[in-house]
Amino acid sequence: LMSQQGSDLFRYLTQVNPEATLSALERVFNNLDVDELRNGIAYRRNIVWSLENLCFWDYTFQRAARLLLNFAEAENETWGNNATNQFLQLFHIYLSGTQANPSKRIELIDEILQAKSYEKKVLAIKALGSALESHHFIRTAGVETQGARFPTSDWRPQKWFEIFDYSRDALNRLTKIASNEDQRLATLARHEIAN
């Protein structure tokens, strides 16, 4: 997994058996610190693509998103589809790249906001800002078509109240953070609300 060729091959295995491949990724990468993840140049791109595939499925979303968050915390790429941007996209209301419903996504953000890592809290606040975005959604096709399965689609709201509830949940959390004693996080939360 920590080589260019091994990670490239592994990326295709995620489409065949999401559960087993996610467990393998957790065993290898969960215990690496930020510097070790940042220095993994040879395999990083393929692992991020693997995690993108694994975040798509509702039943692997939270575990895969936590691991993607670790790579986002250790970001070393400037590509538009780097770990950070892939993580933030998961919280869009449309074209999120996941089948996970908004309540599952908000639950994950709540967990991240309790983390000790300042950078993870920053990413959680930015994810809440992504949840508030209301237009200009764009995503390249691909994650919804994996292996020989029929293409499926991202979660999308069926009723207006689903959009309103998700937006309200995100805004309530940002408002609470904006009145927080940590001025850097409060400023970022106010910025996300204003945007």
Side-chain angles (χ1 to χ4, degrees), residues 125-152:
I125 292 168
K126 289 181 177 181
L128 288 168
S130 291
L132 291 178
E133 289 184 21
S134 61
H135 56 286
H136 300 298
F137 298 106
I138 192 165
R139 177 170 69 78
T140 56
V143 72
E144 68 281 356
T145 305
Q146 294 186 31
R149 297 180 184 93
F150 285 107
T152 56

PDB file of all heavy atoms in Angstrom, residues 125-152:
ATOM      1  N   ILE A 125     -15.059  22.892  10.657  1.00  0.00           N
ATOM      2  CA  ILE A 125     -15.731  24.178  10.447  1.00  0.00           C
ATOM      3  C   ILE A 125     -15.890  24.455   8.949  1.00  0.00           C
ATOM      4  O   ILE A 125     -16.950  24.894   8.491  1.00  0.00           O
ATOM      5  CB  ILE A 125     -14.969  25.308  11.161  1.00  0.00           C
ATOM      6  CG1 ILE A 125     -15.075  25.120  12.676  1.00  0.00           C
ATOM      7  CG2 ILE A 125     -15.485  26.682  10.736  1.00  0.00           C
ATOM      8  CD1 ILE A 125     -14.141  25.999  13.487  1.00  0.00           C
ATOM      9  N   LYS A 126     -14.851  24.175   8.185  1.00  0.00           N
ATOM     10  CA  LYS A 126     -14.950  24.349   6.727  1.00  0.00           C
ATOM     11  C   LYS A 126     -15.981  23.389   6.132  1.00  0.00           C
ATOM     12  O   LYS A 126     -16.688  23.728   5.173  1.00  0.00           O
ATOM     13  CB  LYS A 126     -13.593  24.155   6.081  1.00  0.00           C
ATOM     14  CG  LYS A 126     -12.625  25.292   6.369  1.00  0.00           C
ATOM     15  CD  LYS A 126     -11.284  25.084   5.699  1.00  0.00           C
ATOM     16  CE  LYS A 126     -10.357  26.256   5.946  1.00  0.00           C
ATOM     17  NZ  LYS A 126      -9.057  26.087   5.281  1.00  0.00           N
ATOM     18  N   ALA A 127     -16.094  22.182   6.692  1.00  0.00           N
ATOM     19  CA  ALA A 127     -17.105  21.228   6.226  1.00  0.00           C
ATOM     20  C   ALA A 127     -18.509  21.757   6.504  1.00  0.00           C
ATOM     21  O   ALA A 127     -19.414  21.604   5.678  1.00  0.00           O
ATOM     22  CB  ALA A 127     -16.891  19.868   6.895  1.00  0.00           C
ATOM     23  N   LEU A 128     -18.692  22.398   7.656  1.00  0.00           N
ATOM     24  CA  LEU A 128     -19.990  23.018   7.952  1.00  0.00           C
ATOM     25  C   LEU A 128     -20.280  24.128   6.946  1.00  0.00           C
ATOM     26  O   LEU A 128     -21.419  24.293   6.509  1.00  0.00           O
ATOM     27  CB  LEU A 128     -20.004  23.567   9.383  1.00  0.00           C
ATOM     28  CG  LEU A 128     -20.059  22.517  10.486  1.00  0.00           C
ATOM     29  CD1 LEU A 128     -19.773  23.145  11.850  1.00  0.00           C
ATOM     30  CD2 LEU A 128     -21.399  21.782  10.488  1.00  0.00           C
ATOM     31  N   GLY A 129     -19.251  24.874   6.567  1.00  0.00           N
ATOM     32  CA  GLY A 129     -19.424  25.884   5.524  1.00  0.00           C
ATOM     33  C   GLY A 129     -19.813  25.250   4.200  1.00  0.00           C
ATOM     34  O   GLY A 129     -20.665  25.775   3.474  1.00  0.00           O
ATOM     35  N   SER A 130     -19.218  24.105   3.889  1.00  0.00           N
ATOM     36  CA  SER A 130     -19.577  23.378   2.657  1.00  0.00           C
ATOM     37  C   SER A 130     -21.035  22.928   2.690  1.00  0.00           C
ATOM     38  O   SER A 130     -21.706  22.901   1.664  1.00  0.00           O
ATOM     39  CB  SER A 130     -18.671  22.159   2.481  1.00  0.00           C
ATOM     40  OG  SER A 130     -17.361  22.546   2.180  1.00  0.00           O
ATOM     41  N   ALA A 131     -21.515  22.581   3.875  1.00  0.00           N
ATOM     42  CA  ALA A 131     -22.920  22.157   4.018  1.00  0.00           C
ATOM     43  C   ALA A 131     -23.875  23.309   3.727  1.00  0.00           C
ATOM     44  O   ALA A 131     -25.016  23.077   3.322  1.00  0.00           O
ATOM     45  CB  ALA A 131     -23.166  21.603   5.423  1.00  0.00           C
ATOM     46  N   LEU A 132     -23.414  24.528   3.924  1.00  0.00           N
ATOM     47  CA  LEU A 132     -24.266  25.696   3.685  1.00  0.00           C
ATOM     48  C   LEU A 132     -24.250  26.173   2.239  1.00  0.00           C
ATOM     49  O   LEU A 132     -25.064  27.016   1.860  1.00  0.00           O
ATOM     50  CB  LEU A 132     -23.830  26.859   4.585  1.00  0.00           C
ATOM     51  CG  LEU A 132     -24.097  26.684   6.075  1.00  0.00           C
ATOM     52  CD1 LEU A 132     -23.564  27.881   6.849  1.00  0.00           C
ATOM     53  CD2 LEU A 132     -25.576  26.477   6.351  1.00  0.00           C
ATOM     54  N   GLU A 133     -23.331  25.664   1.432  1.00  0.00           N
ATOM     55  CA  GLU A 133     -23.285  26.086   0.031  1.00  0.00           C
ATOM     56  C   GLU A 133     -24.610  25.750  -0.650  1.00  0.00           C
ATOM     57  O   GLU A 133     -25.186  24.693  -0.415  1.00  0.00           O
ATOM     58  CB  GLU A 133     -22.125  25.409  -0.690  1.00  0.00           C
ATOM     59  CG  GLU A 133     -20.776  25.947  -0.245  1.00  0.00           C
ATOM     60  CD  GLU A 133     -19.623  25.348  -1.012  1.00  0.00           C
ATOM     61  OE1 GLU A 133     -19.820  24.840  -2.126  1.00  0.00           O
ATOM     62  OE2 GLU A 133     -18.501  25.397  -0.481  1.00  0.00           O
ATOM     63  N   SER A 134     -25.050  26.652  -1.508  1.00  0.00           N
ATOM     64  CA  SER A 134     -26.369  26.463  -2.115  1.00  0.00           C
ATOM     65  C   SER A 134     -26.362  26.428  -3.638  1.00  0.00           C
ATOM     66  O   SER A 134     -27.400  26.229  -4.247  1.00  0.00           O
ATOM     67  CB  SER A 134     -27.311  27.568  -1.635  1.00  0.00           C
ATOM     68  OG  SER A 134     -26.804  28.831  -2.031  1.00  0.00           O
ATOM     69  N   HIS A 135     -25.209  26.614  -4.253  1.00  0.00           N
ATOM     70  CA  HIS A 135     -25.178  26.590  -5.721  1.00  0.00           C
ATOM     71  C   HIS A 135     -23.760  26.334  -6.211  1.00  0.00           C
ATOM     72  O   HIS A 135     -22.823  26.266  -5.422  1.00  0.00           O
ATOM     73  CB  HIS A 135     -25.722  27.895  -6.290  1.00  0.00           C
ATOM     74  CG  HIS A 135     -25.021  29.121  -5.804  1.00  0.00           C
ATOM     75  ND1 HIS A 135     -25.201  29.626  -4.532  1.00  0.00           N
ATOM     76  CD2 HIS A 135     -24.122  29.940  -6.398  1.00  0.00           C
ATOM     77  CE1 HIS A 135     -24.453  30.698  -4.389  1.00  0.00           C
ATOM     78  NE2 HIS A 135     -23.787  30.909  -5.500  1.00  0.00           N
ATOM     79  N   HIS A 136     -23.638  26.193  -7.516  1.00  0.00           N
ATOM     80  CA  HIS A 136     -22.357  25.934  -8.185  1.00  0.00           C
ATOM     81  C   HIS A 136     -21.736  24.602  -7.758  1.00  0.00           C
ATOM     82  O   HIS A 136     -20.543  24.513  -7.504  1.00  0.00           O
ATOM     83  CB  HIS A 136     -21.344  27.075  -7.958  1.00  0.00           C
ATOM     84  CG  HIS A 136     -21.819  28.391  -8.458  1.00  0.00           C
ATOM     85  ND1 HIS A 136     -22.101  28.622  -9.784  1.00  0.00           N
ATOM     86  CD2 HIS A 136     -22.086  29.538  -7.804  1.00  0.00           C
ATOM     87  CE1 HIS A 136     -22.510  29.871  -9.928  1.00  0.00           C
ATOM     88  NE2 HIS A 136     -22.515  30.439  -8.747  1.00  0.00           N
ATOM     89  N   PHE A 137     -22.566  23.565  -7.665  1.00  0.00           N
ATOM     90  CA  PHE A 137     -22.043  22.252  -7.320  1.00  0.00           C
ATOM     91  C   PHE A 137     -21.464  21.609  -8.569  1.00  0.00           C
ATOM     92  O   PHE A 137     -22.080  21.626  -9.627  1.00  0.00           O
ATOM     93  CB  PHE A 137     -23.152  21.357  -6.745  1.00  0.00           C
ATOM     94  CG  PHE A 137     -23.729  21.900  -5.479  1.00  0.00           C
ATOM     95  CD1 PHE A 137     -24.979  22.479  -5.459  1.00  0.00           C
ATOM     96  CD2 PHE A 137     -23.006  21.841  -4.302  1.00  0.00           C
ATOM     97  CE1 PHE A 137     -25.513  22.985  -4.291  1.00  0.00           C
ATOM     98  CE2 PHE A 137     -23.524  22.346  -3.121  1.00  0.00           C
ATOM     99  CZ  PHE A 137     -24.782  22.918  -3.117  1.00  0.00           C
ATOM    100  N   ILE A 138     -20.292  21.047  -8.429  1.00  0.00           N
ATOM    101  CA  ILE A 138     -19.644  20.389  -9.552  1.00  0.00           C
ATOM    102  C   ILE A 138     -18.823  19.220  -9.020  1.00  0.00           C
ATOM    103  O   ILE A 138     -18.250  19.294  -7.948  1.00  0.00           O
ATOM    104  CB  ILE A 138     -18.764  21.381 -10.346  1.00  0.00           C
ATOM    105  CG1 ILE A 138     -18.333  20.773 -11.662  1.00  0.00           C
ATOM    106  CG2 ILE A 138     -17.593  21.845  -9.543  1.00  0.00           C
ATOM    107  CD1 ILE A 138     -17.779  21.796 -12.633  1.00  0.00           C
ATOM    108  N   ARG A 139     -18.835  18.157  -9.764  1.00  0.00           N
ATOM    109  CA  ARG A 139     -18.043  16.989  -9.391  1.00  0.00           C
ATOM    110  C   ARG A 139     -17.807  16.190 -10.654  1.00  0.00           C
ATOM    111  O   ARG A 139     -18.686  16.062 -11.491  1.00  0.00           O
ATOM    112  CB  ARG A 139     -18.793  16.131  -8.363  1.00  0.00           C
ATOM    113  CG  ARG A 139     -18.062  14.868  -7.971  1.00  0.00           C
ATOM    114  CD  ARG A 139     -18.724  14.184  -6.787  1.00  0.00           C
ATOM    115  NE  ARG A 139     -20.010  13.608  -7.064  1.00  0.00           N
ATOM    116  CZ  ARG A 139     -20.219  12.457  -7.696  1.00  0.00           C
ATOM    117  NH1 ARG A 139     -19.210  11.766  -8.158  1.00  0.00           N
ATOM    118  NH2 ARG A 139     -21.429  11.996  -7.885  1.00  0.00           N
ATOM    119  N   THR A 140     -16.594  15.657 -10.798  1.00  0.00           N
ATOM    120  CA  THR A 140     -16.346  14.808 -11.955  1.00  0.00           C
ATOM    121  C   THR A 140     -17.014  13.459 -11.719  1.00  0.00           C
ATOM    122  O   THR A 140     -17.092  12.983 -10.590  1.00  0.00           O
ATOM    123  CB  THR A 140     -14.839  14.598 -12.181  1.00  0.00           C
ATOM    124  OG1 THR A 140     -14.261  14.072 -10.987  1.00  0.00           O
ATOM    125  CG2 THR A 140     -14.165  15.898 -12.560  1.00  0.00           C
ATOM    126  N   ALA A 141     -17.506  12.867 -12.757  1.00  0.00           N
ATOM    127  CA  ALA A 141     -18.185  11.583 -12.650  1.00  0.00           C
ATOM    128  C   ALA A 141     -17.175  10.479 -12.370  1.00  0.00           C
ATOM    129  O   ALA A 141     -15.994  10.611 -12.680  1.00  0.00           O
ATOM    130  CB  ALA A 141     -18.940  11.283 -13.938  1.00  0.00           C
ATOM    131  N   GLY A 142     -17.638   9.411 -11.780  1.00  0.00           N
ATOM    132  CA  GLY A 142     -16.762   8.268 -11.593  1.00  0.00           C
ATOM    133  C   GLY A 142     -17.012   7.484 -10.335  1.00  0.00           C
ATOM    134  O   GLY A 142     -17.110   6.271 -10.368  1.00  0.00           O
ATOM    135  N   VAL A 143     -17.148   8.166  -9.199  1.00  0.00           N
ATOM    136  CA  VAL A 143     -17.259   7.448  -7.941  1.00  0.00           C
ATOM    137  C   VAL A 143     -18.572   6.668  -7.848  1.00  0.00           C
ATOM    138  O   VAL A 143     -18.647   5.648  -7.185  1.00  0.00           O
ATOM    139  CB  VAL A 143     -17.087   8.413  -6.735  1.00  0.00           C
ATOM    140  CG1 VAL A 143     -18.273   9.315  -6.559  1.00  0.00           C
ATOM    141  CG2 VAL A 143     -16.769   7.646  -5.481  1.00  0.00           C
ATOM    142  N   GLU A 144     -19.591   7.117  -8.565  1.00  0.00           N
ATOM    143  CA  GLU A 144     -20.883   6.422  -8.533  1.00  0.00           C
ATOM    144  C   GLU A 144     -20.882   5.156  -9.391  1.00  0.00           C
ATOM    145  O   GLU A 144     -21.800   4.352  -9.331  1.00  0.00           O
ATOM    146  CB  GLU A 144     -22.020   7.360  -8.955  1.00  0.00           C
ATOM    147  CG  GLU A 144     -22.006   7.782 -10.398  1.00  0.00           C
ATOM    148  CD  GLU A 144     -20.993   8.897 -10.700  1.00  0.00           C
ATOM    149  OE1 GLU A 144     -20.347   9.415  -9.791  1.00  0.00           O
ATOM    150  OE2 GLU A 144     -20.866   9.223 -11.886  1.00  0.00           O
ATOM    151  N   THR A 145     -19.856   4.962 -10.187  1.00  0.00           N
ATOM    152  CA  THR A 145     -19.696   3.763 -11.010  1.00  0.00           C
ATOM    153  C   THR A 145     -18.450   3.033 -10.537  1.00  0.00           C
ATOM    154  O   THR A 145     -17.341   3.484 -10.778  1.00  0.00           O
ATOM    155  CB  THR A 145     -19.545   4.136 -12.497  1.00  0.00           C
ATOM    156  OG1 THR A 145     -20.657   4.940 -12.876  1.00  0.00           O
ATOM    157  CG2 THR A 145     -19.478   2.903 -13.365  1.00  0.00           C
ATOM    158  N   GLN A 146     -18.658   1.935  -9.842  1.00  0.00           N
ATOM    159  CA  GLN A 146     -17.530   1.181  -9.297  1.00  0.00           C
ATOM    160  C   GLN A 146     -17.654  -0.276  -9.698  1.00  0.00           C
ATOM    161  O   GLN A 146     -18.686  -0.909  -9.462  1.00  0.00           O
ATOM    162  CB  GLN A 146     -17.483   1.295  -7.772  1.00  0.00           C
ATOM    163  CG  GLN A 146     -17.190   2.694  -7.293  1.00  0.00           C
ATOM    164  CD  GLN A 146     -17.000   2.758  -5.792  1.00  0.00           C
ATOM    165  OE1 GLN A 146     -16.540   1.810  -5.170  1.00  0.00           O
ATOM    166  NE2 GLN A 146     -17.334   3.892  -5.206  1.00  0.00           N
ATOM    167  N   GLY A 147     -16.614  -0.790 -10.297  1.00  0.00           N
ATOM    168  CA  GLY A 147     -16.594  -2.200 -10.690  1.00  0.00           C
ATOM    169  C   GLY A 147     -17.680  -2.511 -11.697  1.00  0.00           C
ATOM    170  O   GLY A 147     -18.028  -1.701 -12.559  1.00  0.00           O
ATOM    171  N   ALA A 148     -18.261  -3.704 -11.571  1.00  0.00           N
ATOM    172  CA  ALA A 148     -19.295  -4.156 -12.500  1.00  0.00           C
ATOM    173  C   ALA A 148     -20.700  -3.805 -12.020  1.00  0.00           C
ATOM    174  O   ALA A 148     -21.682  -4.177 -12.645  1.00  0.00           O
ATOM    175  CB  ALA A 148     -19.178  -5.674 -12.693  1.00  0.00           C
ATOM    176  N   ARG A 149     -20.807  -3.074 -10.908  1.00  0.00           N
ATOM    177  CA  ARG A 149     -22.125  -2.676 -10.393  1.00  0.00           C
ATOM    178  C   ARG A 149     -22.785  -1.685 -11.351  1.00  0.00           C
ATOM    179  O   ARG A 149     -22.118  -0.955 -12.066  1.00  0.00           O
ATOM    180  CB  ARG A 149     -21.981  -1.970  -9.044  1.00  0.00           C
ATOM    181  CG  ARG A 149     -21.422  -2.790  -7.939  1.00  0.00           C
ATOM    182  CD  ARG A 149     -21.351  -1.900  -6.670  1.00  0.00           C
ATOM    183  NE  ARG A 149     -20.740  -2.583  -5.575  1.00  0.00           N
ATOM    184  CZ  ARG A 149     -19.444  -2.523  -5.293  1.00  0.00           C
ATOM    185  NH1 ARG A 149     -18.638  -1.822  -6.047  1.00  0.00           N
ATOM    186  NH2 ARG A 149     -18.963  -3.175  -4.264  1.00  0.00           N
ATOM    187  N   PHE A 150     -24.116  -1.650 -11.291  1.00  0.00           N
ATOM    188  CA  PHE A 150     -24.829  -0.607 -12.019  1.00  0.00           C
ATOM    189  C   PHE A 150     -24.518   0.725 -11.354  1.00  0.00           C
ATOM    190  O   PHE A 150     -24.368   0.794 -10.125  1.00  0.00           O
ATOM    191  CB  PHE A 150     -26.344  -0.852 -11.991  1.00  0.00           C
ATOM    192  CG  PHE A 150     -26.785  -1.953 -12.901  1.00  0.00           C
ATOM    193  CD1 PHE A 150     -27.176  -3.172 -12.394  1.00  0.00           C
ATOM    194  CD2 PHE A 150     -26.786  -1.761 -14.276  1.00  0.00           C
ATOM    195  CE1 PHE A 150     -27.564  -4.195 -13.234  1.00  0.00           C
ATOM    196  CE2 PHE A 150     -27.180  -2.776 -15.122  1.00  0.00           C
ATOM    197  CZ  PHE A 150     -27.572  -3.998 -14.603  1.00  0.00           C
ATOM    198  N   PRO A 151     -24.409   1.791 -12.128  1.00  0.00           N
ATOM    199  CA  PRO A 151     -24.152   3.100 -11.520  1.00  0.00           C
ATOM    200  C   PRO A 151     -25.258   3.458 -10.524  1.00  0.00           C
ATOM    201  O   PRO A 151     -26.434   3.195 -10.767  1.00  0.00           O
ATOM    202  CB  PRO A 151     -24.161   4.059 -12.704  1.00  0.00           C
ATOM    203  CG  PRO A 151     -23.904   3.215 -13.896  1.00  0.00           C
ATOM    204  CD  PRO A 151     -24.473   1.866 -13.579  1.00  0.00           C
ATOM    205  N   THR A 152     -24.868   4.020  -9.414  1.00  0.00           N
ATOM    206  CA  THR A 152     -25.835   4.500  -8.425  1.00  0.00           C
ATOM    207  C   THR A 152     -25.649   5.998  -8.301  1.00  0.00           C
ATOM    208  O   THR A 152     -24.844   6.594  -9.018  1.00  0.00           O
ATOM    209  CB  THR A 152     -25.616   3.803  -7.064  1.00  0.00           C
ATOM    210  OG1 THR A 152     -24.277   4.028  -6.662  1.00  0.00           O
ATOM    211  CG2 THR A 152     -25.862   2.308  -7.154  1.00  0.00           C
TER     212      THR A 152
END
